[in-house]
Amino acid sequence: MTAIDAAAVTTPHKQRGETFFGRLWTGLTRSPAGFAGTLLVLLIVGFSFIGPLVVSKDNPVDATNIWAEPSAEHWLGTEYQGKDTFITLVNSGAEPIWVGTLAALMAVFVAVALGSIAGYYRGRIDAVLLQLTDVTVTIPQFLLMLAVVAFFENIPPWGIAIVVGSTMWAFLFRSIRAQVMSLKEREFVEAARLQNLGGARIVFREILPNMAGFIFVNFVISVNQAIYAIVGLFVLGLMPSGTPNWGLMIHNSWSQNFYLNPVTLPYVIAPLVMIVLFTVGLVTMGRGLDQALNPRLRER
Amino acid sequence: MTAPTAPPPQQRAAAAAPPGRTASGVMRRVWTSYAFRRILQSVFVIWLVSTITFLLMHFMPGDPIEIMAGRLNSAGMSHDQALATAANIVNYDPDASVWAQYLDFLKGLVTLDMGNSLTSPSKTVFDHVMEYLPWTLFAVGAGIVLATVIGLSIGMAAAYRRGSAFDHAMTSIGSFLTGVPNYILIAAVVVIGYTVLGILPFLDMRGRVTAGVEPGFDPVFFGDALYHAILPIIAFAFTATGSFLLNMKAATTEVLTEDYVTVARARGLKPGRISRSYVGRNAMLPVIPQVALQMGTLVGGSIVIEQILDYPGVGQMLMSAISDRDYPVVQAAVIILATSVVIASLIVDLVLVKIDPRIKTEGQDA
Amino acid sequence: MTEPILSVRDLSIAYRTGRKESVTAVSGIDLDLYEGQSLALVGESGCGKTTLGLGLLRLLPNLGEITSGSLTYRLKDGSTQDLLAMKKEQLRRFRWNEAAMVFQGAMNAFNPVIRIIDHFADTLRDHDCGDGKKWTKAAVEARAGELLETVRLDPDRVLQSYPHELSGGMKQRALIALAIALDPKVLVLDEPTTALDLLTQRSIVQQLHELRAKFGFTMVFITHDLGLAAELADRVATMYAGSIIETGSARDIFYTPKHPYTAGLINAVMPVKGDRPALESIPGFPPSLKAMPSGCAFHPRCEFATAACQGERVPLELLTERPQAMDHAVACLHHDRVRLDRKHNDSPKETSRV
Ligand SMILES: Nc1ncnc2c1ncn2[C@@H]1O[C@H](COP(=O)(O)OP(=O)(O)OP(=O)(O)O)[C@@H](O)[C@H]1O
Ligand code: SF4
Ligand SMILES: [Mg+2]
């Protein structure tokens, strides 16, 4: 175990000549449900981000034509101000999706950074971080967010993303740490350690690429959780927003009791359907990928 | 069927040095005991959340007293009167230093004196929150119990019938329930059940009790309260059921491959006993912490759900306090809700210690 | 001559490995066991010993299946029964009461969340043995204490312990005590000492001797360790690639093995010279279950192999007839050419283990 030929030390992810996206693709195609979920997610992301470029932005208030039935002109009818519901819907997805994604990115970033440090170096820092997550996990995150929003009105959406992200990382920390710890024991990492490659390099070049699939799955699940919190805040009407969004549509439907009136159905149901589709897409995608990319689960 | 070798010499060494014979040993045992550490941690979390709310209030844009006085002022009070009332409402001296205010605030926490409500200045914030809290805790608690019963039994059944149509159906339902926000699901239930189909008497079900029903220890009251809480209970059960179901299925699948289950079969134990005390009890262990985690999410989510269902619990109270800028109430509600979540998950964890004998002796590294 | 207590005919066991594929892990086993006899099953890792042992109690995991054969037991009431024809409840009552098994790796044989005494209570209560006795807490405690004492465990300490509070050796003993709780007639022990240190191994073997003398159960003893086999067994069966390739009395097998594989095993343990076991004495590896060689499965590794060995499957051939299924039989076309490397004049009992 002394002389190890550096060239012979190849990490598994390079060895198989596969890129991360290659494996992602195999993973997705191997699981039909995961594939369907991904399609659903892409469909809604496309609808919400490409849709606004295609559909006419022009959506005037028209007091003479409120709650119009769906028609060729207004696919989903009009809402309480006479605006076209479909155009509103097309423009409503972008904000929750990007804020949710940002929050999830933050959570995953913090969890991976702290999880790698804790799992790789162990010792005191590990113990401290474990304690910290134990505490963070018990804080009711939504309440904390609510408090922040209540006392500091007019927080920009990215600020909310940071608040959400900083309460979510703790839920990922333990599994990332455990994964780092188990990868650290594997031969290829062992070999790199014997070459004195240095902790940071080993973590970034050897360990993290090998758990990319795992991290990605956690990211997908985190987006879902962030959406819960962010749409929730919009539904409560606690976040200022210039643009229409799913949560705001629901807020309008409820705060003005539209939802009790059958005439309003397209407007009331549309955001519910979008959120259901998007979140279902995310979980099926996450679960499908999880099974495909994490062999231990597949065996069962 | 392989087993790690347990080196007996080490075991003997451990047994030869019984900890905790001396007084300092006893202190160390208490200090390192799981329950003690867990309680300490809970106190810490409550303190942390309280301090955060204190800081939020302190650093919020503008002077809280001025803002509250402004609100009272616009409600018809003279400026000086409003300022005096506002200063009276908070449980600290507005002119003191931050540190003095913080100490006052902490003292107030311990003595449950968290100031008065801005909207009804004669009422203490604590009393105000407590008027609403039981309704929410009742619905959340019932939802959790319902979710635990349904989720654990279906999850276990799915694991026993892995690969069957039942398993696939239940796993899909479980993913659906965990994935979609519970307030969206219950909103859909209301819209479809009431607005579209007209079969759900939603308008009657709103509120706490039907007009005319007097609170008291009688079945009419309890029945009516339950009737009004059904939708919130279902809403709370949604996410938790899905999560418990999936977790229980995974845990049971794992436990079914354990040697002690095969051995229990070999021992000719009755199938009911095997699934109860051998499979079920062990599979529950990793799921129980999930119950504690769900609690926090549910209480937080209760604010949205109560808004959607028009259920006058503490969430709805919190919302109107936020829109009234009744800051002392907001602060107290956040602290009290967080405290109840922390206590609930503490209880769950301590119950876990009772069920899993290994926790007591293990270190904290899981 | 009495009837055998267990009679196995043409037993084959397969594991499903895919939606349509399966591998045969054990094939065509014929075996008679007489009351009080002790049989050692020996062979390399993966040759199917555990599978056969589990099969004897119909305890195979979900993916395993008995594909042919019969397993006839003579029960305590004197009747004979085919285990494969038993219904669920009948099978449940049979297990542990008629035949018990001590598992390979008993470390995880106990439910971690209940006490040792509860394991005894559950077992006794689910098999209320007909004499109308209620297994009260005190009755269980008395019976379990008695059983633990026969394996030299202190009941006061062990009964109220949780499994994780016991050492490996203590758990193994407790499991043996549990196995004899219902006084079974057949006891299958799957490598009961493998994970233990030498001293503990010795004392467990010693206790098995005593227990057998006291209770007179029939024993199937699965092991890698020829020394243990020599010590505990009256009779030995060597397995290779899922089949029994030689069987006979311990004396026949250890002094005059007739299968090149058995001879190789013995040579591997008992060195010709010096103190280092000649582990390389059987070159090559056991075959994969998916690509089983034709004819004699051992031929790719056999120094005596001829073209004839690759043709038909080689059946067990009776060499010497002895009473009560102690017959020496071997599945080798050239058994007359097989010799041990040297004349053993020391008893195999005194040799060391692998
Ligand atoms: N659940 C299973 N699924 C598929 N194949 C299996 C399964 N269990 C065992 N096998 C295969 O059956 C063969 C026999 O396994 P078995 O455990 O009976 O061997 P063994 O002789 O007991 O080995 P060891 O001495 O290592 O315990 C092996 O080739 C093994 O790979
Ligand atoms: S039959 Fe042939 S190959 Fe098989 S053991 Fe005998 S001599 Fe060797
Ligand atoms: Mg085995």
Side-chain angles (χ1 to χ4, degrees):
Chain A
M1 285 283 265
T2 41
I4 286 172
D5 183 1
V9 181
T10 40
T11 57
H13 66 106
K14 288 173 199 153
Q15 213 166 35
R16 272 186 250 128
E18 284 177 343
T19 62
F20 166 62
F21 291 101
R23 276 194 304 160
L24 206 60
W25 176 251
T26 346
L28 282 174
T29 42
R30 213 184 286 146
S31 148
F35 192 69
T38 312
L39 272 187
L40 202 52
V41 169
L42 290 180
L43 211 69
I44 292 187
V45 169
F47 181 81
S48 307
F49 285 87
I50 302 173
L53 307 177
V54 179
V55 173
S56 142
K57 268 238 173 342
D58 195 28
N59 197 7
V61 174
D62 180 358
T64 60
N65 193 24
I66 62 169
W67 300 124
E69 302 246 316
S71 62
E73 196 192 344
H74 301 293
W75 289 1
L76 292 176
T78 60
E79 34 89 296
Y80 62 112
Q81 293 174 305
K83 290 183 178 182
D84 181 273
T85 302
F86 183 74
I87 297 180
T88 308
L89 190 68
V90 169
N91 288 296
S92 285
E95 190 166 20
I97 294 176
W98 79 255
V99 180
T101 309
L102 185 62
L105 274 178
M106 238 199 82
V108 169
F109 179 80
V110 175
V112 167
L114 297 184
S116 313
I117 292 174
Y120 190 81
Y121 293 103
R122 306 298 308 275
R124 267 197 86 77
I125 190 157
D126 185 28
V128 170
L129 285 172
L130 272 176
Q131 276 291 337
L132 184 66
T133 46
D134 275 356
V135 169
T136 316
V137 159
T138 27
I139 296 176
Q141 32 165 339
F142 196 80
L143 272 179
L144 203 65
M145 258 165 39
L146 210 66
V148 172
V149 179
F151 287 108
F152 292 74
E153 292 159 40
N154 300 324
I155 296 186
W158 59 264
I160 290 298
I162 290 179
V163 178
V164 175
S166 58
T167 51
M168 265 182 357
W169 65 271
F171 293 89
L172 307 176
F173 173 83
R174 264 179 196 271
S175 57
I176 300 240
R177 168 180 169 273
Q179 191 82 0
V180 169
M181 266 159 46
S182 93
L183 278 174
K184 191 183 153 193
E185 304 304 322
R186 296 254 293 272
E187 317 84 65
F188 63 93
V189 177
E190 191 83 357
R193 284 219 321 254
L194 288 170
Q195 292 176 73
N196 279 328
L197 282 184
R201 204 181 134 179
I202 293 173
V203 169
F204 283 109
R205 300 285 294 275
E206 310 292 335
I207 295 183
L208 291 184
N210 274 294
M211 46 191 282
F214 184 77
I215 295 174
F216 187 74
V217 170
N218 278 307
F219 167 70
V220 172
I221 296 168
S222 302
V223 173
N224 193 350
Q225 276 162 7
I227 291 278
Y228 180 97
I230 284 154
V231 173
L233 286 180
F234 280 121
V235 168
L236 292 176
L238 286 178
M239 290 228 288
S241 178
T243 53
N245 71 59
W246 296 334
L248 218 52
M249 288 174 81
I250 299 174
H251 175 72
N252 288 336
S253 303
W254 256 261
S255 61
Q256 305 177 50
N257 279 338
F258 298 149
Y259 72 109
L260 299 174
N261 186 346
V263 165
T264 66
L265 276 179
Y267 182 77
V268 172
I269 288 183
L272 298 181
V273 171
M274 293 304 280
I275 297 170
V276 169
L277 291 181
F278 189 58
T279 49
V280 164
L282 284 173
V283 253
T284 10
M285 176 179 171
R287 289 184 67 82
L289 276 177
D290 199 21
Q291 271 166 25
L293 295 176
N294 300 319
R296 251 187 314 152
L297 277 172
R298 212 186 312 143
E299 276 165 24
R300 290 198 200 123
Chain B
M1 283 242 187
T2 48
T5 319
Q10 230 169 292
Q11 295 259 356
R12 253 175 257 133
R21 278 286 143 78
T22 60
S24 74
V26 171
M27 278 312 290
R28 246 188 58 211
R29 285 243 313 257
V30 171
W31 182 252
T32 53
S33 98
Y34 177 79
F36 182 76
R37 263 189 300 136
R38 199 59 194 71
I39 291 170
L40 215 62
Q41 195 193 343
S42 303
V43 173
F44 177 74
V45 171
I46 294 169
W47 168 81
L48 187 71
V49 172
S50 310
T51 304
I52 291 176
T53 60
F54 174 83
L55 290 176
L56 285 176
M57 180 122 144
H58 186 80
F59 287 110
M60 69 188 243
D63 175 22
I65 303 287
E66 287 288 346
I67 294 173
M68 290 190 264
R71 265 194 36 73
L72 292 171
N73 192 279
S74 63
M77 246 180 231
S78 78
H79 182 73
D80 289 344
Q81 204 186 352
L83 260 186
T85 317
N88 240 336
I89 279 169
V90 291
N91 69 339
Y92 55 80
D93 177 5
D95 299 323
S97 70
V98 184
W99 280 111
Q101 288 184 7
Y102 182 57
L103 286 181
D104 265 356
F105 164 78
L106 287 185
K107 209 165 78 195
L109 270 190
V110 178
T111 56
L112 299 182
D113 166 24
M114 290 183 258
N116 285 23
S117 158
L118 187 59
T119 34
S120 41
S122 58
K123 206 164 16 159
T124 72
V125 176
F126 185 77
D127 290 343
H128 186 60
V129 174
M130 280 306 168
E131 243 169 64
Y132 292 86
L133 188 67
W135 299 90
T136 298
L137 291 189
F138 165 65
V140 170
I144 287 260
V145 170
L146 190 69
T148 312
V149 172
I150 297 178
L152 295 200
S153 45
I154 293 188
M156 197 165 153
Y160 264 89
R161 268 164 249 176
R162 224 161 55 85
S164 68
F166 174 81
D167 172 25
H168 286 302
M170 290 305 141
T171 308
S172 307
I173 292 178
S175 309
F176 179 78
L177 290 178
T178 37
V180 183
N182 48 8
Y183 53 83
I184 296 291
L185 285 176
I186 203 70
V189 167
V190 168
V191 170
I192 294 171
Y194 174 77
T195 318
V196 177
L197 301 175
I199 47 173
L200 188 76
F202 175 64
L203 295 185
D204 295 345
M205 297 174 87
R206 293 185 301 177
R208 284 178 183 172
V209 285
T210 313
V213 176
E214 289 298 318
F217 259 104
D218 61 291
V220 180
F221 171 70
F222 280 113
D224 193 60
L226 190 62
Y227 175 68
H228 284 268
I230 281 180
L231 286 175
I233 290 174
I234 292 176
F236 292 130
F238 271 144
T239 313
T241 306
S243 145
F244 296 164
L245 192 161
L246 295 180
N247 281 303
M248 187 66 180
K249 183 194 154 189
T252 309
T253 309
E254 184 106 31
V255 169
L256 281 175
T257 66
E258 294 282 353
D259 288 355
Y260 54 82
V261 176
T262 314
V263 176
R265 288 207 184 101
R267 282 158 60 201
L269 300 187
K270 293 182 177 157
R273 188 194 295 280
I274 296 180
S275 55
R276 246 180 304 116
S277 10
Y278 288 73
V279 179
R281 249 183 100 172
N282 282 289
M284 265 166 59
L285 296 179
V287 184
I288 290 173
Q290 298 291 321
V291 177
L293 284 186
Q294 281 290 329
M295 215 97 72
T297 320
L298 286 188
V299 169
S302 72
I303 297 149
V304 190
I305 284 174
E306 289 177 5
Q307 207 66 7
I308 293 278
L309 293 177
D310 199 4
Y311 183 73
V314 76
Q316 219 176 42
M317 182 222 76
L318 184 55
M319 276 312 293
S320 53
I322 290 178
S323 63
D324 292 345
R325 311 236 154 68
D326 194 342
Y327 296 115
V329 172
V330 173
Q331 190 179 45
V334 169
I335 294 172
I336 291 173
L337 278 178
T339 305
S340 47
V341 169
V342 168
I343 291 177
S345 63
L346 174 68
I347 292 173
V348 169
D349 275 5
L350 293 185
V351 167
L352 192 62
V353 179
K354 277 266 168 274
I355 309 181
D356 188 351
R358 285 165 300 184
I359 296 181
K360 268 173 275 179
T361 42
E362 255 166 37
Q364 79 142 35
D365 191 11
Chain C
M1 199 203 273
T2 51
E3 289 280 298
I5 196 156
L6 164 61
S7 170
V8 182
R9 287 293 170 271
D10 191 32
L11 186 75
S12 296
I13 299 171
Y15 286 108
R16 245 176 301 133
T17 51
R19 213 166 287 164
K20 293 240 166 72
E21 307 133 51
S22 64
V23 293
T24 302
V26 161
S27 63
I29 302 288
D30 286 316
L31 202 61
D32 280 320
L33 270 180
Y34 286 87
E35 188 146 10
Q37 226 171 32
S38 109
L39 167 78
L41 274 179
V42 299
E44 270 166 299
S45 185
C47 70
K49 304 181 299 290
T50 298
T51 305
L52 176 58
L54 290 170
L56 293 180
L57 272 84
R58 263 181 79 183
L59 271 173
L60 293 163
N62 280 339
L63 294 177
E65 193 195 357
I66 297 183
T67 47
S68 76
S70 68
L71 282 165
T72 314
Y73 278 87
R74 183 156 53 80
L75 304 184
K76 285 177 179 170
D77 64 10
S79 66
T80 55
Q81 276 274 356
D82 185 357
L83 195 65
L84 301 183
M86 281 190 191
K87 301 231 166 47
K88 263 192 183 150
E89 174 64 12
Q90 208 181 357
L91 184 63
R92 178 184 83 69
R93 292 186 168 280
F94 166 88
R95 286 181 182 153
W96 223 250
N97 183 26
E98 301 281 353
M101 181 160 181
V102 174
F103 286 81
Q104 184 167 10
M107 298 315 130
N108 304 314
F110 289 100
N111 182 352
V113 297
I114 64 178
R115 296 172 196 273
I116 298 297
I117 186 167
D118 301 322
H119 288 83
F120 282 92
D122 288 352
T123 310
L124 293 169
R125 284 180 187 146
D126 280 1
H127 290 274
D128 45 350
C129 303
D131 46 3
K133 189 163 150 197
K134 263 268 180 276
W135 285 107
T136 60
K137 207 164 174 280
V140 169
E141 214 169 296
R143 175 79 177 126
E146 187 187 316
L147 288 161
L148 287 177
E149 268 163 10
T150 60
V151 292
R152 306 259 162 76
L153 283 176
D154 175 10
D156 294 336
R157 181 166 166 217
V158 172
L159 275 180
Q160 297 305 326
S161 296
Y162 284 100
H164 72 276
E165 293 165 350
L166 303 182
S167 74
M170 290 163 85
K171 270 190 260 193
Q172 191 62 270
R173 272 177 242 224
L175 185 60
I176 292 173
L178 186 59
I180 56 177
L182 303 175
D183 201 8
K185 303 196 92 175
V186 177
L187 187 61
V188 179
L189 296 124
D190 190 357
E191 308 196 24
T193 61
T194 305
L196 304 174
D197 65 297
L198 272 177
L199 276 176
T200 318
Q201 281 192 19
R202 293 299 328 150
S203 78
I204 284 185
V205 168
Q206 185 55 39
Q207 274 150 32
L208 281 173
H209 265 306
E210 292 170 17
L211 290 175
R212 212 154 75 81
K214 187 167 167 197
F215 298 99
F217 45 76
T218 312
M219 192 161 91
V220 177
F221 188 88
I222 296 173
T223 182
H224 282 127
D225 185 336
L226 289 180
L228 274 190
E231 192 166 351
L232 271 166
D234 337 312
R235 200 177 140 207
V236 177
T238 319
M239 283 187 76
Y240 186 77
S243 303
I244 292 181
I245 45 104
E246 183 165 11
T247 170
S249 68
R251 213 185 155 71
D252 283 340
I253 297 291
F254 285 115
Y255 289 95
T256 54
K258 286 296 171 195
H259 196 284
Y261 177 68
T262 316
L265 278 183
I266 293 170
N267 280 332
V269 192
M270 297 158 193
V272 183
K273 276 201 192 100
D275 49 13
R276 278 172 55 100
L279 281 173
E280 63 277 24
S281 69
I282 308 176
F285 300 98
S288 148
L289 296 180
K290 287 193 169 133
M292 204 62 100
S294 64
C296 171
F298 188 57
H299 79 248
R301 299 169 76 184
C302 181
E303 54 178 314
F304 306 106
T306 59
C309 301
Q310 302 179 25
E312 298 273 294
R313 187 181 163 142
V314 184
L316 274 175
E317 180 192 336
L318 185 64
L319 299 180
T320 338
E321 203 162 331
R322 299 197 197 279
Q324 292 243 324
M326 285 290 196
D327 306 337
H328 192 180
V330 67
C332 173
L333 296 177
H334 307 297
H335 55 79
D336 45 348
R337 314 219 322 245
V338 178
R339 293 259 120 72
L340 276 185
D341 281 0
R342 60 155 178 182
K343 199 89 202 105
H344 285 286
N345 33 28
D346 50 351
S347 147
K349 291 192 185 189
E350 282 133 40
T351 57
S352 64
R353 277 156 263 282
V354 189

